[in-house]
Amino acid sequence: MVCGYDNFSEPTLKPHRQLLTRICLAVIFAGLLVNLRSIIYHDTGLLLAILALVAMLSGFSGLIYCIISRDSDIQSQTTAGRSDKTNLSARGSDLISEYGFPGPDGDLAGLQYFLHLIQPESCLADKVGLALKQLPEIFAGATFLYFSIEDCKLHFIAGSRKDSQQRCVKIPVGTSIVDEIAEKIKGCIDLRSVKRSANFSSRLQLSPGNSNSGLLLPVTFFNNLHGIIAAISTDNELLSEETGSFLEKFCSGLALMLENHELFFANAAAKQSEAENQLAATLLKAMLPEQAPAIRGWDLAQITRYSLEHSGDFHAYLNLPGDKMIIVIGKCSGPGLNSALFLTRFKAMVGCLLEQCPSPADLLNRLSAYMNSESMTDLFATAAAVLIKASDRAITLALAGHPAPLINRSRSGYVELPQLEGGVPLGLFNKGVEPYKNQTIQLLPGDGILLYTEGVTEFPAGGRDRISLEEFRQMLDRLDENSADVMLENLFRQLTPVNSGQKTAEDHTLIYAKSE
């Protein structure tokens, strides 16, 4: 939404307070799950229940602090907004009095210096409004409006003119002159091609019988068209060569200010994104296992490689009674911090449901039912769950929209892709979903199963093209039989070209389980 130049942006929470609110909600949610399990099943222990209760109280305290601080911030930001509005106008007057806003005979350097001093943290409408506010002081009978061009559409940002008492006033959005001039601009220039011919100057044709003269001027920075200034005057003063030259200089300085505005806010957004990615990396590192555990009769290995934004890969090794283990691998739909918060809730759910889920299909069905509830409708995830038993070469697995694993038959020297029911991702649909089913694969001594995330084939490293499933199968097929660690390392070398110098665009996770 666009606004007049004296409107200020809505008060917002500080990024660290937004993050604290999310963490408090996650802590409260996890503590609630543990206490509910303690009340219903009485199997979490008194100490864990007390710790969960303390965590919940701490989360509530933090949440109350965030709410109180938010009200305080909104009040202070509103007060500061009114103060900034006054200060901004006062600063404009101070700049004029101190440095002198150049007139039509002024030089470009002085004009650009004036525009450069406008506060960089102000919103776009404030900056443009303050700049345009100075023009009616020089051209008393003129009206100036600035329109940006986005997606071949005009967007009014700010305007200025003098009223009957010779006071410089803003032109609000929705006034008749704004709508009239916008329609006239559309009749004078082609908005679809104007970006390709940014250096133009055009007379603005007004209504028949209208004695006013008009002029359209591009606001361009190195052929990057930011917008258009429409200047309307009661006489022909705007059409003189001297005035036209001055207004072109003004547009040049305004374009530089707009370019700096974009850079300023782009840098602020980049810094916030970088901070969130660093926090997500810290949380994921604490929650995701760095190496595969040991289980009798099996050789397990893993390799993980995460992108800068952590696109959502996760994996876990869940121990069950009777020397059993469920390996879970998957990818959630939210990258970065959303991925870390999802994994926090996911691990809490798995911890509560695991003892009631003796098989992979039971676990995925319970997780799907919970994720389809109102509490987790914002994210979904693909997942594969594989059950292995000590000294037992039969594996049981279930898939929820996740790529099917590869089976390496060491004796025959062939890698096969089993035909399995894939299912739909967890949490994607809340109705009409078929229950996930257990599927069994019998391995022989030395055979192995390779689990992987879609980033391995869809977004390979080194800038190479997408790897087909057949190419990926052949890579594993070419490997000599060795330990699980060595085989994964050799496979990863084929996936990642040496000295590629490029980071992966998506997370890569590979887990290999080899029967002994």
Side-chain angles (χ1 to χ4, degrees), residues 22-91:
R22 292 183 180 181
I23 293 176
C24 289
L25 290 173
V27 170
I28 293 171
F29 182 76
L32 180 60
L33 286 179
V34 174
N35 277 282
L36 286 176
R37 184 173 181 84
S38 176
I39 294 172
I40 297 173
Y41 299 103
H42 307 287
D43 57 355
T44 58
L46 180 60
L47 179 58
L48 182 58
I50 293 175
L51 290 176
L53 182 60
V54 172
M56 286 180 61
L57 293 176
S58 300
F60 278 119
S61 299
L63 191 60
I64 292 172
Y65 164 76
C66 291
I67 294 173
I68 295 175
S69 300
R70 175 183 179 278
D71 294 339
S72 177
D73 281 350
I74 291 176
Q75 183 178 1
S76 61
Q77 288 180 22
T78 304
T79 304
R82 296 193 186 100
S83 176
D84 287 344
K85 176 181 175 182
T86 304
N87 293 338
L88 190 61
S89 300
R91 180 155 177 76

Side-chain angles (χ1 to χ4, degrees), residues 168-458:
C168 189
V169 296
K170 70 164 187 173
I171 300 176
V173 178
T175 55
S176 58
I177 188 173
V178 172
D179 297 335
E180 178 186 354
I181 298 302
E183 291 299 321
K184 297 302 178 183
I185 292 175
K186 295 175 185 178
C188 291
I189 59 177
D190 184 1
L191 296 178
R192 294 173 295 180
S193 61
V194 70
K195 287 276 187 179
R196 297 192 295 269
S197 56
N199 294 318
F200 68 89
S201 178
S202 174
R203 291 280 299 272
L204 183 60
Q205 300 297 329
L206 302 178
S207 303
N210 193 326
S211 60
N212 293 344
S213 61
L215 189 66
L216 293 181
L217 294 164
V219 180
T220 307
F221 184 81
F222 285 99
N223 288 328
N224 177 27
L225 182 65
H226 286 275
I228 296 174
I229 287 182
I232 303 96
S233 178
T234 55
D235 51 37
N236 293 325
E237 62 174 337
L238 296 179
L239 303 181
S240 68
E241 182 177 350
E242 180 183 11
T243 301
S245 176
F246 171 77
L247 291 177
E248 288 178 0
K249 292 178 182 180
F250 177 87
C251 290
S252 176
L254 184 63
L256 179 60
M257 183 197 75
L258 295 173
E259 193 75 14
N260 289 332
H261 172 85
E262 292 183 358
L263 292 175
F264 178 85
F265 284 95
N267 289 336
K271 289 179 180 178
Q272 180 176 346
S273 177
E274 182 181 358
E276 289 184 355
N277 290 337
Q278 290 178 352
L279 177 60
T282 303
L283 294 174
L284 291 172
K285 184 177 180 180
M287 289 184 287
L288 296 176
E290 296 184 357
Q291 61 183 12
I295 182 172
R296 180 165 46 86
W298 292 87
D299 182 14
L300 299 181
Q302 71 171 48
I303 286 183
T304 57
R305 179 174 179 175
Y306 300 110
S307 61
L308 289 176
E309 293 185 353
H310 292 270
S311 58
D313 278 13
F314 63 89
H315 62 286
Y317 304 95
L318 311 174
N319 292 313
L320 294 176
D323 288 337
K324 300 177 184 178
M325 176 188 293
I326 293 182
I327 303 172
V328 178
I329 184 172
K331 177 183 179 65
C332 75
S333 59
L337 193 56
N338 288 331
S339 173
L341 295 175
F342 167 83
L343 187 56
T344 301
R345 294 184 285 179
F346 186 83
K347 291 192 67 175
M349 287 187 295
V350 170
C352 292
L353 299 173
L354 185 59
E355 293 184 7
Q356 308 168 41
C357 303
S359 71
D362 291 331
L363 179 60
L364 294 185
N365 285 320
R366 289 292 188 93
L367 288 172
S368 176
Y370 190 84
M371 290 180 64
N372 286 333
S373 66
E374 295 182 358
S375 57
M376 291 191 69
T377 55
D378 54 336
L379 293 175
F380 63 91
T382 67
V386 179
L387 173 65
I388 59 176
K389 306 173 186 178
S391 302
D392 188 344
R393 299 185 184 92
I395 60 175
T396 304
L397 72 158
L399 301 177
H402 198 77
L406 297 178
I407 306 299
N408 182 27
R409 301 293 186 181
S410 61
R411 293 192 176 186
S412 64
Y414 182 76
V415 174
E416 66 181 51
L417 177 63
Q419 299 300 314
L420 303 172
E421 295 187 25
V424 299
L426 299 170
L428 184 58
F429 302 110
N430 57 9
K431 292 182 180 179
V433 177
E434 291 290 332
Y436 302 106
K437 299 178 182 179
N438 288 319
Q439 303 168 82
T440 303
I441 298 176
Q442 183 65 47
L443 302 181
L444 297 174
D447 289 353
I449 178 172
L450 176 65
L451 303 169
Y452 59 95
T453 53
E454 65 177 13
V456 174
T457 55
E458 297 294 330

Side-chain angles (χ1 to χ4, degrees), residues 139-162:
F139 307 102
T143 299
F144 297 90
L145 303 97
Y146 175 75
F147 296 86
S148 67
I149 301 178
E150 297 178 9
D151 299 326
C152 300
K153 295 181 180 179
L154 286 175
H155 299 276
F156 176 69
I157 303 299
S160 184
R161 63 183 173 188
K162 282 194 173 183

